[in-house]
Amino acid sequence: MEAKTQLCFSTLFLCLVCLNASTLQTYIVQLHPHGISSSLFTSKLLWHLSFLEQTLSTEEDPSLRLLYSYHSAMEGFAAQLSESEVESLKKWPDVIAIRPDRRLQIHTTYSYKFLGLNPSRGGSWYNSGFGRGSIIGVLDTGVWPESPSFDDLGMPPVPKKWRGICQEGQSFSSSNCNRKLIGARFFTKGHLVASKPSSPNIVQEYVSPRDSHGHGTHTSSTAGGAAVGMASVFGNGAGVARGMAPGAHIAMYKVCWSNGCYSSDILAAMDAAIGDGVDIFSLSLGGFPVPIYEDSIAIGSFRAMEHGISVICAAGNNGPIQSSVANEAPWIATIGASTLDRKFPAIVRMGNGEALYGESMYPGNRFMTAGRELELVYLTGGDSGSEFCFQGSLPRAKVRGKMVICDRGVNGRAEKGQVVKEAGGAAMILTNTAINLEEDSVDVHVLPATLVGFDESVRLKAYINSTRKPTARIEFGGTVIGKSRGPAVAQFSGRGPSFTNPSILKPDVIAPGVNIIAAWPQNLGPTALPEDPRRVNFTVMSGTSMACPHVSGIAALIHSAHPKWTPAAIKSAIMTTADITDHSGKPIMDGDKPAGVFATGAGHVNPGKAIDPGLIYDIRPDEYITHLCTLGYTKSEIFSVTHMNVSCHELLQMNRGFSLNYPSISVIFKRGMTSKMIKRRLTNVGTPNSIYSVEVRAPEGVKVRVKPQKLVFKQINQSLSYRVWFISKKRKGTEGEFAQGDLTWVQSSNGFYRVRSPISVTWKNKQ
C-alpha cells in the first residue's frame, strides 16, 4: 500500500510539473553560505524559499517549484524557473551562481585475485580487516538487496557514527537493509521534472532504492560485496565472488534513472551522504568535462573532501579520444579502465579452415563445444542499418538459419543478438570497427555468438567476398586464465590531458574495467534486454563504471588500516604504489603500443602495496584554493567551488612558486619558457629512521635536477620537502609535443618502499 501511495504521489508531482514544463527548467541556485539575509530566517529551508517567494511573478506556492534544499554539499537549492525568473534571481546579492541542471550518464569474481589480494592470514587484505568499519556510499541506479553479495553474515555491527536511513518505497522496505547494506535513499525530483510523462520507461522504474537497471547492484558489489562461493555466469568465470572490501558497509544513493543522472539529484545525494557519515563516495557516472566551478560533482566533492570523505569517480568511456577524461578535479580520484588476463574464447572457424579469435559468454561456452557449421551472411547497402543489425533491418528470408555478421556501434551489442534471433538467425558474429580495434567486451548473448577484433573482422569480410557460399562455426573454449598479457589499457577508457586543468595529470590510475563479473538483480536477464527471460545472480559488464568501484573498495581498505588519513593521503598511497608493468613484467600496453601517462595516469592499482606506501603526498584543503588561483580563476569562481572568500593576489604573493603537492607531476613549457621548478612535500608513514634516495627517468628533451637527492626521516609523520628543476633542452618545442618520465624515492636500506610519481612534459607555443 505504501509503495502505491508513493507511486501515486510521484505521478501527481510529475503531472503538476508538466503543466509548466514548456516554460520552466531546473536550475541549481548557489547561495553565499553566510548570506546577508540568512539570519532573518529560523531555518535554511525557509531562507531558500524566500528567494522563490520574492521572485515568482504569480501567486503560486513557491514550495511547488522547489526540488531540493542543499546545506552540506553546497549552500543553495534546486528549483523550476523561467528564464526571466533566473535573470531576476541573479540580481540578489546572496546569489553566487545559477546553473542549469545537467544530465550525466553511468559509465557503463576474479579481479581481487588478479590484483594480488589473498584472504589468508598475514596478507595486506587481512591486515586491513577487509575494510571493516568503513562505509562506502555508492551513487548509482540503486541496489537489489536480496543479492547474496549483500548478505551480512559475519559483518560487524553498523558503525555508531552512521546517521543514515533505509528509505522505504516501491518494493523496498526498511527490512531490506542489514549490517552489510546499512543505508539506502533515492533522489528522483530532478529526473521526474525532466522526463516526458509518456515515456514507457517511467512505469518500469522502482520509485525506491531498488535497482531496475543492474548497474548499481554491479558496482556496489564490486566495491564491497560479501564473499559468495560458486559464483559464475552460466558456468563462465566460476569462483568465489568478493568485493574489494568485503568487510566494508555499503550505503546506496539512487540518483540514476532510465534517462540518466541529473546533477540536482546527485547534489542532493551528496548533501545527504555527507550528513549520513560515509567515508568513501563512489560515482560511476559523469559527462564531458566542464570547468570545475560549473561542475556540481566537483563542487559537492570539495565539501566531501573537507569532511574527510574520499571521492572516487569514473574517468568516462569516451577514449581513446585525447582530453576525454571526465571528473578531473584534483580532489577527486579519477579512475580509468584496464583489462584482466581472463579470457572467454569463442573462436570462429571459417569454411576455408582459417580461425579467427573471438570471445563470448554465451552459455554454451562452459561446455567447450563447437557449434554447427552455418552459412554466413553480412547484409550491407541500403539505409536500414542492416550492417549494424538495427531493429527491423534484417529480412527473415535472408538470415533465417544463418550466422549473421553485425558491426559494432550505435545500438547495444546484446541487442543486436536479439534482433538476429527475432529475424530467425541461428548465430551471430559481432565485428569490431576501426573505432573499437581489438577491444573485446564480452556479453551473455541470447543466441550462439562471439565478438571478434577489427583485424579479424577485416579477414572475415575478405573471406565472405572470396566465395559464393561462405560458412563458419563457433568453437567455444570456456574460461582461460593467465594465458594472455594483462593488465592493458581498455580502448574506451577516458584519456588525458585534462581538458580544463592540464596542470594536473589525469586520469590518476587505472583498474580492472573489462568483462567484470559482479552481482545482478533478479528482475533482469544477464543482457538487461527486456526480451531476455533468463535470471542470474551475477553478470558481466565493462566500462570505467566497473573500474571505479574497484578503487572505492581499495580506498575503504586503506581507510580501515589508517582511519586518520586524509582523502589526499589515501589517493597518494594508491597512486605512488601503482604498477607500470603487466603481470609478465613488460610495459602495460595500450592497443599495440606501450601505454602513455595520459592513458594510465600513475599506473595500475596495486592494493597490497597501497595499504603500506612508505611515504605520502598530503594536501590540505587550503592548498587546493591556492592551486585554483594559479589557474587564473576569478574570486567568484573560486568562491562557488570552495565557499571561501580569498584574494588570489595575496595568496600567490605569500606562496611564490606554488605547486600543488600532487602525487604526479605535470610540466607545461609555454612559449619562451625553458625551465620550470616545482616543489613537493613527503610525509613518512613507513618506518622511523629511514633514508630515501631519488631515482629519475628524465623525459626526452628535458634535463631534471632534484634537491636534495636524499631524504632522511627520523620519525613517523615527519614531513620533508624537495624541489625539482625541469630544463628544456629545446629552445622551442613543436605545439603539443609531449614527453614522459618518472621520479621515484627508494628506501635506501632494502628498497622495500618505492614511491613513484609519473612526469608528463608538454610544450605549448601558443600563449
Side-chain angles (χ1 to χ4, degrees):
M1 184 67 200
E2 199 167 43
K4 283 183 184 171
T5 311
Q6 191 133 14
L7 190 57
C8 290
F9 168 75
S10 298
T11 310
L12 176 66
F13 177 70
L14 185 60
C15 293
L16 282 170
V17 163
C18 290
L19 296 174
N20 294 314
S22 57
T23 54
L24 300 182
Q25 191 186 340
T26 303
Y27 289 89
I28 296 169
V29 180
Q30 191 171 0
L31 303 174
H32 195 296
H34 312 294
I36 306 160
S37 56
S38 64
S39 58
L40 305 172
F41 298 90
T42 53
S43 74
K44 288 290 180 77
L45 174 61
L46 290 174
W47 180 43
H48 296 170
L49 279 169
S50 74
F51 288 89
L52 293 174
E53 278 169 10
Q54 295 171 72
T55 305
L56 299 191
S57 48
T58 62
E59 294 298 308
E60 69 178 290
D61 181 353
S63 63
L64 290 176
R65 295 278 204 97
L66 185 76
L67 301 185
Y68 295 110
S69 178
Y70 306 121
H71 313 288
S72 301
M74 189 185 83
E75 188 63 58
F77 58 90
Q80 286 267 288
L81 299 166
S82 68
E83 284 185 26
S84 61
E85 288 162 353
V86 168
E87 290 309 311
S88 174
L89 267 175
K90 280 180 180 171
K91 294 168 185 165
W92 286 78
D94 289 342
V95 173
I96 295 168
I98 302 178
R99 289 179 287 273
D101 207 1
R102 278 181 80 211
R103 184 173 70 170
L104 307 175
Q105 298 293 345
I106 49 179
H107 286 151
T108 287
T109 60
Y110 166 69
S111 50
Y112 71 88
K113 286 185 183 173
F114 181 75
L115 292 172
L117 289 171
N118 187 317
S120 61
R121 187 180 291 271
S124 53
W125 214 4
Y126 179 89
N127 292 341
S128 72
F130 301 94
R132 273 171 190 258
S134 293
I135 303 169
I136 305 171
V138 182
L139 280 69
D140 215 298
T141 64
V143 65
W144 194 266
E146 294 84 5
S147 164
S149 291
F150 306 113
D151 192 314
D152 66 353
L153 184 69
M155 284 295 294
V158 176
K160 288 189 171 65
K161 68 169 187 166
W162 177 244
R163 298 180 293 277
I165 61 168
C166 196
Q167 187 179 358
E168 301 205 329
Q170 186 183 2
S171 303
F172 200 97
S173 71
S174 57
S175 62
N176 284 124
C177 291
N178 57 19
R179 294 192 310 274
K180 165 59 75 178
L181 180 66
I182 63 172
R185 297 179 185 258
F186 64 100
F187 302 84
T188 187
K189 292 174 182 175
H191 155 73
L192 281 176
V193 297
S195 302
K196 295 186 177 112
S198 59
S199 172
N201 289 323
I202 297 294
V203 290
Q204 293 169 11
E205 297 276 8
Y206 293 104
V207 186
S208 75
R210 185 172 288 278
D211 186 5
S212 59
H213 298 283
H215 190 272
T217 301
H218 199 280
T219 56
S220 52
S221 68
T222 300
V228 182
M230 300 302 291
S232 73
V233 187
F234 296 122
N236 290 307
V240 178
R242 280 186 177 91
M244 288 292 101
H249 306 279
I250 295 167
M252 174 55 70
Y253 298 85
K254 182 175 177 179
V255 297
C256 296
W257 304 83
S258 55
N259 62 342
C261 328
Y262 285 86
S263 52
S264 55
D265 294 330
I266 295 166
L267 209 47
M270 292 176 118
D271 209 58
I274 290 169
D276 288 347
V278 303
D279 300 306
I280 316 290
F281 274 173
S282 187
L283 289 90
S284 288
L285 50 89
F288 281 96
V290 293
I292 290 169
Y293 53 83
E294 290 179 6
D295 185 346
S296 296
I297 291 178
I299 293 168
S301 298
F302 190 88
R303 288 286 95 63
M305 175 272 298
E306 288 183 305
H307 284 85
I309 300 167
S310 289
V311 183
I312 320 295
C313 290
N317 298 342
N318 292 315
I321 300 164
Q322 198 175 0
S323 297
S324 57
V325 63
N327 298 314
E328 49 195 343
W331 45 87
I332 289 173
T334 311
I335 315 303
S338 64
T339 62
L340 299 169
D341 63 355
R342 176 178 62 188
K343 301 289 182 188
F344 305 97
I347 288 157
V348 177
R349 183 75 59 183
M350 297 186 291
N352 62 4
E354 288 185 25
L356 304 173
Y357 181 77
E359 291 200 48
S360 176
M361 257 204 199
Y362 174 68
N365 201 351
R366 66 185 285 200
F367 302 116
M368 299 180 72
T369 56
R372 291 180 296 135
E373 187 160 81
L374 298 166
E375 188 177 341
L376 276 171
V377 59
Y378 177 48
L379 300 177
T380 58
D383 55 5
S384 66
S386 56
E387 70 270 31
F388 291 108
C389 300
F390 289 164
Q391 192 75 43
S393 71
L394 302 177
R396 181 172 286 270
K398 291 188 177 178
V399 302
R400 190 170 187 176
K402 296 177 183 174
M403 187 178 292
V404 183
I405 294 169
C406 302
D407 286 340
R408 267 184 78 175
V410 193
N411 56 340
R413 298 186 302 268
E415 185 187 327
K416 294 173 192 286
Q418 183 65 31
V419 171
V420 171
K421 187 178 182 182
E422 287 173 0
M428 174 181 71
I429 302 174
L430 266 171
T431 50
N432 274 1
T433 63
I435 295 169
N436 312 106
L437 295 176
E438 308 312 307
E439 185 253 300
D440 52 0
S441 300
V442 302
D443 298 277
V444 192
H445 292 288
V446 294
L447 82 173
T450 187
L451 168 82
V452 299
F454 179 56
D455 291 347
E456 286 82 359
S457 73
V458 172
R459 285 173 57 203
L460 176 66
K461 288 166 188 176
Y463 163 64
I464 289 172
N465 293 330
S466 71
T467 180
R468 283 179 58 192
K469 195 178 177 186
T471 59
R473 69 176 186 271
I474 301 173
E475 299 173 356
F476 294 108
T479 303
V480 177
I481 290 172
K483 296 281 174 66
S484 56
R485 283 181 65 176
V489 178
Q491 179 79 6
F492 56 75
S493 186
R495 310 301 167 101
S498 166
F499 184 71
T500 61
N501 182 8
S503 65
I504 298 293
L505 178 57
K506 290 283 182 172
D508 290 308
V509 288
I510 54 172
V514 177
N515 304 335
I516 303 301
I517 295 172
W520 195 245
Q522 288 289 299
N523 69 317
L524 290 169
T527 58
L529 295 169
E531 302 88 349
D532 190 348
R534 302 169 298 175
R535 294 296 178 260
V536 290
N537 278 325
F538 296 87
T539 199
V540 65
M541 292 183 87
S542 296
T544 52
S545 274
M546 284 62 251
C548 168
H550 278 88
V551 179
S552 305
I554 293 165
L557 296 177
I558 300 170
H559 177 77
S560 289
H562 310 283
K564 292 200 165 86
W565 279 15
T566 64
I570 290 172
K571 179 159 73 166
S572 172
I574 291 168
M575 290 174 68
T576 60
T577 58
D579 293 328
I580 54 168
T581 54
D582 64 21
H583 284 190
S584 65
K586 293 173 181 162
I588 290 171
M589 299 297 284
D590 182 5
D592 56 3
K593 62 185 188 302
V597 290
F598 293 139
T600 63
H604 193 267
V605 287
N606 184 327
K609 287 182 179 175
I611 288 161
D612 183 18
L615 305 174
I616 52 163
Y617 292 93
D618 209 352
I619 303 173
R620 299 184 305 271
D622 63 289
E623 291 177 285
Y624 289 116
I625 298 168
T626 310
H627 172 69
L628 294 178
C629 284
T630 66
L631 299 181
Y633 281 13
T634 66
K635 193 172 183 173
S636 64
E637 288 166 351
I638 291 173
F639 192 90
S640 69
V641 177
T642 66
H643 279 185
M644 293 190 194
N645 225 338
V646 296
S647 162
C648 278
H649 179 71
E650 286 177 19
L651 264 182
L652 295 174
Q653 286 279 82
M654 287 160 49
N655 296 278
R656 286 185 181 278
F658 174 85
S659 44
L660 188 66
N661 198 41
Y662 212 73
S664 56
I665 298 168
S666 177
V667 176
I668 298 167
F669 285 118
K670 292 181 181 168
R671 190 165 70 185
M673 277 178 63
T674 53
S675 69
K676 173 107 177 173
M677 186 272 287
I678 64 112
K679 286 186 279 194
R680 288 292 188 268
R681 181 182 71 251
L682 280 164
T683 303
N684 182 24
V685 293
T687 52
N689 300 311
S690 50
I691 300 168
Y692 286 80
S693 303
V694 73
E695 290 179 4
V696 176
R697 282 196 302 180
E700 195 177 336
V702 180
K703 187 179 173 189
V704 180
R705 281 175 44 224
V706 183
K707 281 191 176 177
Q709 301 225 323
K710 270 195 171 56
L711 295 174
V712 181
F713 292 96
K714 296 276 197 295
Q715 56 220 111
I716 300 286
N717 295 325
Q718 180 186 356
S719 294
L720 293 173
S721 295
Y722 67 92
R723 295 181 183 207
V724 189
W725 284 264
F726 296 90
I727 299 107
S728 174
K729 295 176 185 174
K730 309 170 187 184
R731 295 305 299 171
K732 185 177 150 188
T734 56
E735 174 64 26
E737 195 178 341
F738 162 76
Q740 65 181 52
D742 55 30
L743 182 154
T744 309
W745 290 96
V746 184
Q747 191 181 26
S748 299
S749 56
N750 56 10
F752 179 74
Y753 293 118
R754 294 184 62 86
V755 185
R756 178 184 169 276
S757 293
I759 299 167
S760 75
V761 176
T762 309
W763 285 264
K764 287 195 173 177
N765 291 328
K766 293 171 187 167
Q767 289 289 43

